[in-house]
Amino acid sequence: MINKQPIRIIPKLDIKNGLLIKGINLEGLRVLGDPFYFAREYYDQGADEICYLDNVATLYGTNNLSKFISKTAKDIHIPVSVGGGIRTYHDIENALVSGADKICLNSKIIDNPNFLKKSCRLFGSSNITAIIETTLIEGKYFITKSNGRDLIEIDPVSWAQKIEDLGAGEIFLTCVHKEGLKSGFDLKIIKKICNSVKLPVIAHGGAGKFSDILAVIKNSKVSGVAISSLFHYETCLSFPLPKVFTGNIEFLKRYQNENKNLNIKIIKKLKNYLKRNNIEIR
Amino acid sequence: MSLKIGIIDLNCNNIFSIYGLCKNLNQKTKVIKNYKEFDKKTELIILPGVGAFSNAMQTLRSTNLFEEIYEHTVIKNKKVLGICLGMQLLFESSKEFSLNKGLGFLKGSVQSLPIGKECFPNVGWRKITTKEKKLKKFNNKSFYFIHSYQCIPSEYDIITSHIQYNKKKICSSVEKNNIVGTQFHPEKSGKEGLNLFRNLLK
């Protein structure tokens, strides 16, 4: 019997100032709560990995996810990927030492592709994930840097192939133009990228209904699906409002008020749905 | 039962997860960066694994930990657990980048995973197949793998479990007397991983 590898379901958490945030097209940030609560809840429900991205690290020249990484690594026994503003070998080392299993790189390797090559040599290919942020403008695909803020005139498919040549272990593909909208994935570009490399590809950006996730799994060779809005909005109803915060908490207050129905175990629900639809799931 | 555990820190690892796990299971755990920090009363050495084979071996030599680990394992016959890269280091050699010498505690070599239709490297969850009595309850359970290389033991009877990858059998764990290795990460494999890890400490 052929042992088919299960699809990985990966909650992706964007963090700013120590809080879980969520945006649309990677912008317009709403505070949703303490990321550790979410991570712990997702782990309990059977998430296969967790991905933390420090949302503004490239812009301000900071990199301070260590606290979360360590806390997560200690109590949550699934792989943790970390990214956002990783710019030096020292940053990578610090993240690994804090407890990260995979390091995600984007802006730095666009500026300096050799950094990717050297990082893989130093730390091992399997531990370096390249993030590709792709966006669609007037029918053409480009890539972006700094969490969707800078447009770069490079074709994502050739960039994916270059990333593979340079030694990365995995690709995390975010469709910026679909991100946060909950209107489905961009199957066209996801398929193209998956077919252009041998690397495992994680698709992110667009999950709104369970059927969206089923569609991307059935119509492409994705190795995993990363999900933000769909998970966080359901789960934020289970937790109290954060006591100390900076940022826009208005949405959260209103949303919690309007949606008193608590404790929807969204990851469990999703996994059961996928299993019923014959998808190999852990 | 509490063991004195020494986790070898090769300076580019995530040792945090393993450390946390040992502490959660009430073990007397120490992280060791060089030979000065090595406590000769250590009962179990854990060689965790992230990173490149050649860099890891280089670090083991420059910190003089190679000698301590050799004495612990080969002379004193005390327990060692290698995880992922740590398991690969236990063997004689690896072809990563160029030919590199390993610790040589187990006969065999480390080579690239076979190429085929599946994604490369092997990243994600896979079910292990095992006929070992000790591991019976873990047969067909999923564990987390993240690797480009595989161990090819010369002595087949030390293989305690395998996975399927590109239609080939890949060694996923070994045991030979005091030496145990897992290609997967028990500390990253959820609740099953915790249970298996607890099992390995006995």
Side-chain angles (χ1 to χ4, degrees):
Chain A
M1 194 197 86
I2 297 170
N3 190 356
K4 211 176 172 198
Q5 186 175 37
I7 297 284
R8 292 175 278 158
I9 299 300
I10 304 172
K12 178 194 172 229
L13 285 73
D14 291 288
I15 313 231
K16 184 183 177 187
N17 294 319
L19 293 167
L20 176 68
I21 55 165
K22 190 66 201 70
I24 291 176
N25 301 139
L26 299 180
E27 276 204 291
L29 311 163
R30 299 161 168 162
V31 170
L32 292 181
D34 182 330
F36 186 71
Y37 282 153
F38 286 79
R40 166 49 89 37
E41 178 62 30
Y42 294 149
Y43 168 65
D44 283 340
Q45 286 183 40
D48 298 308
E49 292 183 26
I50 300 266
C51 180
Y52 280 146
L53 285 188
D54 186 339
N55 191 261
V56 289
T58 299
L59 220 45
Y60 300 147
T62 61
N63 177 238
N64 49 18
L65 272 188
S66 301
K67 261 197 309 171
F68 295 107
I69 306 170
S70 298
K71 201 171 173 187
T72 308
K74 240 172 129 213
D75 296 324
I76 289 173
H77 305 286
I78 51 176
V80 176
S81 299
V82 163
I86 307 235
R87 264 176 301 280
T88 64
Y89 304 116
H90 212 58
D91 288 339
I92 296 180
E93 197 181 320
N94 283 340
L96 289 173
V97 160
S98 304
D101 298 289
K102 284 186 274 181
I103 308 305
C104 301
L105 304 172
N106 182 29
S107 303
K108 175 72 187 188
I109 64 177
I110 294 174
D111 292 338
N112 178 8
N114 205 41
F115 181 81
L116 175 57
K117 188 173 186 179
K118 206 168 166 199
S119 300
C120 296
R121 283 228 152 200
L122 282 176
F123 301 102
S125 280
S126 321
N127 314 301
I128 306 288
T129 294
I131 296 177
I132 300 181
E133 290 170 5
T134 186
T135 196
L136 179 63
I137 296 175
E138 289 175 2
K140 198 170 171 199
Y141 289 98
F142 298 91
I143 63 173
T144 69
K145 265 193 335 179
S146 308
N147 223 21
R149 288 178 190 94
D150 302 326
L151 190 69
I152 310 287
E153 285 205 55
I154 293 176
D155 159 55
V157 174
S158 34
W159 179 231
Q161 288 169 329
K162 179 141 195 218
I163 280 171
E164 184 170 44
D165 287 338
L166 292 168
E170 187 175 63
I171 288 176
F172 187 105
L173 177 69
T174 293
C175 293
V176 181
H177 53 292
K178 290 301 233 169
E179 207 276 338
L181 297 173
K182 297 174 84 175
S183 63
F185 289 88
D186 182 337
L187 296 178
K188 183 173 171 194
I189 190 66
I190 292 170
K191 254 179 121 164
K192 262 189 127 180
I193 302 276
C194 285
N195 290 338
S196 69
V197 291
K198 266 219 112 31
L199 293 179
V201 177
I202 297 168
H204 171 251
K209 305 189 291 287
F210 286 359
S211 52
D212 294 331
I213 299 162
L214 182 64
V216 76
I217 294 169
K218 285 202 134 146
N219 290 299
S220 74
K221 294 189 201 155
V222 284
S223 170
V225 181
I227 295 162
S228 309
S229 305
L230 180 61
F231 287 168
H232 304 333
Y233 288 133
E234 296 298 335
T235 311
C236 71
L237 303 172
S238 326
F239 302 130
L241 292 173
K243 292 202 170 87
V244 183
F245 60 87
T246 51
N248 174 12
I249 202 177
E250 288 314 308
F251 167 82
L252 186 59
K253 275 192 208 158
R254 198 175 12 108
Y255 193 74
Q256 283 194 342
N257 246 340
E258 289 169 10
N259 293 280
K260 295 286 186 180
N261 185 13
L262 300 174
N263 223 6
I264 302 158
K265 300 275 181 193
I266 190 83
I267 295 186
K268 256 197 182 144
K269 259 184 127 183
L270 171 63
K271 282 196 158 194
N272 287 335
Y273 167 84
L274 292 172
K275 275 184 199 150
R276 283 198 306 272
N277 282 281
N278 296 316
I279 301 296
E280 192 71 38
I281 279 285
R282 177 178 78 103
Chain B
M1 189 190 94
S2 180
L3 278 178
K4 253 197 155 183
I5 299 179
I7 301 175
I8 306 292
D9 181 357
L10 295 173
N11 208 38
C12 59
N13 283 11
N14 165 17
I15 47 116
F16 210 86
S17 306
I18 276 282
Y19 182 79
L21 191 50
C22 292
K23 288 303 250 185
N24 285 346
L25 296 173
N26 289 314
Q27 308 296 320
K28 297 187 199 92
T29 311
K30 191 181 175 194
V31 172
I32 301 162
K33 278 185 172 272
N34 56 54
Y35 76 100
K36 289 185 197 148
E37 293 177 7
F38 189 85
D39 180 349
K40 296 222 188 240
K41 293 204 196 106
T42 303
E43 290 163 297
L44 163 68
I45 286 178
I46 298 182
L47 266 172
V50 154
F53 192 100
S54 49
N55 291 342
M57 284 309 301
Q58 211 171 331
T59 307
L60 283 176
R61 287 200 186 90
S62 62
T63 56
N64 293 109
L65 277 173
F66 185 101
E67 286 83 3
E68 296 292 348
I69 298 172
Y70 185 86
E71 185 185 62
H72 170 104
T73 312
V74 180
I75 311 288
K76 293 184 181 170
N77 279 310
K78 294 205 265 184
K79 234 180 161 177
V80 69
L81 166 63
I83 296 173
C84 192
L85 173 69
M87 166 166 149
Q88 294 172 1
L89 293 173
L90 297 169
F91 286 86
E92 293 169 306
S93 65
S94 167
K95 287 207 178 120
E96 187 169 3
F97 302 129
S98 56
L99 191 63
N100 289 289
K101 258 182 107 171
L103 290 167
F105 300 159
L106 297 173
K107 287 195 169 59
S109 67
V110 176
Q111 292 171 36
S112 182
L113 281 170
I115 304 292
K117 284 196 172 157
E118 298 209 56
C119 290
F120 181 95
N122 179 25
V123 182
W125 299 81
R126 285 214 191 227
K127 291 186 180 162
I128 63 168
T129 303
T130 177
K131 295 199 178 104
E132 296 291 309
K133 255 197 206 160
K134 269 192 212 176
L135 300 176
K136 204 168 120 178
K137 57 178 171 171
F138 302 109
N139 185 39
N140 234 23
K141 293 279 176 351
S142 298
F143 292 86
Y144 192 82
F145 291 80
I146 176 166
H147 60 127
S148 319
Y149 290 84
Q150 58 171 323
C151 296
I152 304 196
S154 306
E155 303 159 304
Y156 292 156
D157 59 358
I158 71 170
I159 299 173
T160 51
S161 73
H162 71 266
I163 54 167
Q164 292 267 16
Y165 174 80
N166 279 325
K167 301 188 184 175
K168 302 241 162 71
K169 273 186 178 177
I170 308 292
C171 173
S172 51
S173 64
V174 292
E175 182 171 343
K176 185 180 182 180
N177 304 322
N178 54 324
I179 301 168
V180 179
T182 64
Q183 182 61 72
F184 53 83
H185 288 263
E187 79 281 15
K188 293 283 146 178
S189 298
K191 293 169 184 124
E192 289 299 348
L194 292 202
N195 290 333
L196 186 131
F197 189 77
R198 230 183 247 122
N199 209 293
L200 293 175
L201 294 181
K202 292 189 185 146

